[in-house]
Amino acid sequence: MVARFDILLERSAEVDKIDSFILKAGDEIALKQEEGGPLEAVTSTGLVLGTVPAAEAEKIQGGGFVGHIRTLQRNPGTSLIRNITVRFAPEKALIQPVVNLPPIEDTDEENARKLSQEQLLQLANDDEIRRFLRDERLQNVVRDIDSAQNREAALRSMLKAPNFKEFTDKILSRIAPELPE
């Protein structure tokens, strides 16, 4: 089985024409190839970031991979992008939708603070939440909170990080849309 791998793109001239700060690590990348042309990496808005080098294109021919921007290197003192690295992973390695969850018994006060089965199922099948969960940095934050000696203190600390705060706000908007933002 092919694991995930990184590819340094051969940058396109289109990249010099945009504000490079609209791109960020984690953005999803699609592949397109016109007949006889090179394999191109494009954003969801259709911006061609660059081409996949021919030697690397063989790894992902035939599809079955999804790509995300791994790193953006800018030229010192400017906003121009010098290098773009995209991480590709097999599609089946992504989080799959959950069809059913085992029943959860609410037997004590602590369980009353937990999400209901319906709420968990709603989150598990939400495309935007699943996109957040593909971010390795977010996975590490969640792992750090879960393994902390004092999980509540770790959670409060991590809520100061913009990406994690955005993720938790998105979850709250899904499970309690009546709450003000």
Side-chain angles (χ1 to χ4, degrees):
M1 174 164 151
V2 176
R4 57 187 175 194
F5 52 91
D6 295 342
I7 294 178
L8 178 64
L9 298 178
E10 294 172 353
R11 202 172 55 79
S12 86
E14 278 186 58
V15 173
D16 291 339
K17 299 175 186 173
I18 62 154
D19 178 359
S20 67
F21 293 104
I22 65 168
L23 298 173
K24 64 182 183 302
D27 286 351
E28 191 165 337
I29 301 302
L31 295 170
K32 77 172 190 176
Q33 186 172 28
E34 295 182 15
E35 194 170 324
L39 188 59
E40 296 177 318
V42 297
T43 66
S44 59
T45 61
L47 173 69
V48 177
L49 297 177
T51 58
V52 176
E56 301 287 345
E58 294 175 12
K59 292 180 183 177
I60 48 182
Q61 288 294 347
F65 290 92
V66 65
H68 291 88
I69 294 176
R70 173 112 171 123
T71 60
L72 292 167
Q73 293 179 333
R74 293 182 172 81
N75 288 324
T78 72
S79 65
L80 294 178
I81 295 173
R82 181 176 36 166
N83 291 320
I84 303 171
T85 304
V86 177
R87 171 160 285 179
F88 290 95
E91 284 184 288
K92 61 186 171 192
L94 299 178
I95 299 168
Q96 299 298 318
V98 176
V99 177
N100 205 351
L101 294 173
I104 298 172
E105 296 179 25
D106 291 330
T107 57
D108 60 15
E109 187 177 315
E110 185 171 322
N111 281 341
R113 296 188 307 173
K114 292 182 179 179
L115 297 177
S116 69
Q117 181 175 0
E118 182 180 322
Q119 290 169 318
L120 288 171
L121 190 58
Q122 179 184 3
L123 292 174
N125 289 307
D126 187 288
D127 288 338
E128 199 165 2
I129 298 296
R130 291 175 52 223
R131 181 184 57 79
F132 271 107
L133 291 171
R134 288 187 203 120
D135 184 324
E136 286 183 47
R137 291 173 296 181
L138 181 64
Q139 291 172 14
N140 289 333
V141 167
V142 171
R143 193 174 299 114
D144 290 347
I145 292 169
D146 190 50
S147 64
Q149 233 174 3
N150 184 341
R151 291 180 183 158
E152 191 169 335
L155 175 62
R156 288 182 199 278
S157 172
M158 294 298 185
L159 283 172
K160 296 173 186 163
N163 290 349
F164 186 69
K165 175 84 169 105
E166 183 182 359
F167 170 67
T168 56
D169 286 347
K170 188 61 65 182
I171 288 176
L172 285 174
S173 74
R174 297 298 196 262
I175 61 171
E178 68 280 357
L179 292 176
E181 289 197 25

